[in-house]
């Protein structure tokens, strides 16, 4: 007995081609805007000489970390090492791509997390989508990204957004759901509108969980950098890819070390921004 194969792959391919054919103009506008965003961030990061930039970030780390000298010194040493290894411009490209990706991912993820916490129907629709997004191999995201946006930073950014959103959605949803009922009842007793209750009670109470989602979103964005280099995204990930292609251990290790330094700095910053 022959079992007919369900044409899932063909259906997805048809859908992608339909989107490309009918929304090409919208995709082009989005591509131009995001490319301008990444370029603008990169130019802003390269505006200052490495020494001055390192000093500014170290001072910021000192105050963000509640005057923790170890955080400031570690940040300065890490950034100076990137400059010493000749990876400064590539590191700034990587940071620009990560910040742009994380920002757009959070702009989508946090509202979706709030909606899923407030609406059970939306939660049951979004949850299996998140399961799919988190378990689907990250390389799969590169295929439609290339079809829609070609090669370069933009498809890398789009693939990174899809890859990095789920933790932020889940943790925002969790934080809102864990707000004590007593607080919401008090807000209702004082006649708060749903918007006032959300902004003044639920979001501040859920902020530690939301910031954990922000942290994870940034870390996943950075982890996607190397994979996005396969479709033309620049930065340290591209250096790692070249190291793999040439079997150049030194080049690959130095670029990988640069990614680790950036990851640690961004992780420590977001951790200290989280209210205790």
């Amino acid at each position: 007995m022959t079992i007919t194969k369900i044409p899932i792959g063909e259906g997805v391919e048809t859908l992608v081609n339909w989107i490309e054919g009918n929304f090409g103009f919208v995709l082009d506008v989005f591509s131009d805007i995001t490319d301008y965003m990444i370029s603008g961030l990169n130019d802003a990061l390269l505006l200052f000489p490495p020494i001055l930039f390192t000093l500014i970030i170290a001072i910021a780390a000192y105050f963000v970390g509640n005057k923790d000298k170890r955080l400031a010194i570690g940040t300065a040493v890490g950034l100076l090492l990137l400059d010493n290894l000749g990876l400064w411009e590539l590191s700034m490209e990587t940071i620009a791509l990560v910040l742009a990706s994380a920002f757009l991912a959070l702009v989508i993820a946090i509202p979706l997390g709030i909606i899923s916490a407030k609406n059970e129907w939306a939660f049951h629709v979004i949850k299996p989508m998140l399961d799919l997004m988190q378990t689907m191999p990250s390389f799969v995201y590169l295929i439609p990204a290339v079809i829609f946006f070609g090669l370069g930073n933009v498809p890398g950014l789009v693939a990174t957004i899809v890859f990095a959103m789920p933790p932020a959605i889940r943790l925002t949803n969790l934080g809102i759901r864990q707000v004590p009922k007593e607080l919401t009842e008090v807000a209702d007793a004082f006649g708060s509108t749903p918007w006032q209750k959300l902004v003044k009670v639920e979001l501040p109470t859920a902020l530690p969980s939301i910031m954990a989602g922000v942290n994870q979103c940034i870390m996943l964005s950075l982890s996607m950098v190397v994979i996005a280099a396969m479709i033309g995204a620049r930065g340290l990930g591209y250096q790692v890819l070249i190291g793999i292609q040439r079997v150049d251990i030194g080049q690959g290790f130095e670029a990988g070390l640069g990614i680790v330094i950036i990851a640690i700095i961004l992780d420590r910053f977001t951790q200290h921004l989280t209210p205790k």
Side-chain angles (χ1 to χ4, degrees), residues 112 115-131 169 173 177:
L112 283 178
I115 291 170
S116 64
K118 294 287 187 179
N119 188 302
E120 284 298 322
W121 182 86
F123 173 71
H124 290 300
V125 171
I126 293 173
K127 185 178 179 181
M129 294 174 62
L130 297 180
D131 295 336
I169 297 174
N173 170 64
R177 287 178 180 272

Side-chain angles (χ1 to χ4, degrees), residues 171-227:
L171 287 167
T172 300
N173 170 64
L174 180 64
I176 296 293
R177 287 178 180 272
Q178 288 183 336
V179 174
K181 289 184 179 180
E182 293 81 1
L183 292 178
T184 57
E185 289 172 356
V186 169
D188 291 333
F190 279 94
S192 300
T193 64
W195 176 253
Q196 289 174 326
K197 184 167 62 174
L198 174 66
V199 173
K200 297 184 178 181
V201 177
E202 293 173 328
L203 286 180
T205 306
L207 191 57
S209 180
I210 294 173
M211 287 303 298
V214 171
N215 178 276
Q216 289 301 302
C217 181
I218 293 173
M219 292 300 101
L220 287 175
S221 297
L222 194 50
S223 72
M224 191 68 177
V225 164
V226 177
I227 298 173

Side-chain angles (χ1 to χ4, degrees), residues 13 38 77 117 128 163 170-171 188 199 210 218 232 244 276:
E13 185 176 354
I38 297 170
V77 170
F163 183 71
R170 289 187 188 276
L171 287 167
D188 291 333
V199 173
I210 294 173
I218 293 173
I244 294 172
K276 306 299 182 184

Side-chain angles (χ1 to χ4, degrees), residues 67-80:
K67 300 184 178 180
D68 185 350
K69 294 180 181 178
R70 293 175 299 175
L71 178 61
I73 293 171
T75 299
V77 170
L79 291 174
L80 290 174

Side-chain angles (χ1 to χ4, degrees), residues 82 85 87 236 249-259:
L82 291 176
L85 293 174
L87 299 173
L236 293 172
I249 298 174
Q251 180 178 358
F253 182 82
E254 288 181 355
L257 179 61
I259 293 173

Side-chain angles (χ1 to χ4, degrees), residues 30 34 37 100-116 126 129-130 133 157-170 172-173 210 214 217:
F30 176 81
T34 50
M37 178 188 297
S101 302
F103 172 75
L104 292 175
L106 291 171
V107 166
I108 300 170
I110 292 178
L112 283 178
I114 294 171
I115 291 170
S116 64
I126 293 173
M129 294 174 62
L130 297 180
M133 291 164 66
L157 176 140
V158 172
T160 302
I161 289 172
V162 177
F163 183 71
M165 275 198 303
I169 297 174
R170 289 187 188 276
T172 300
N173 170 64
I210 294 173
V214 171
C217 181

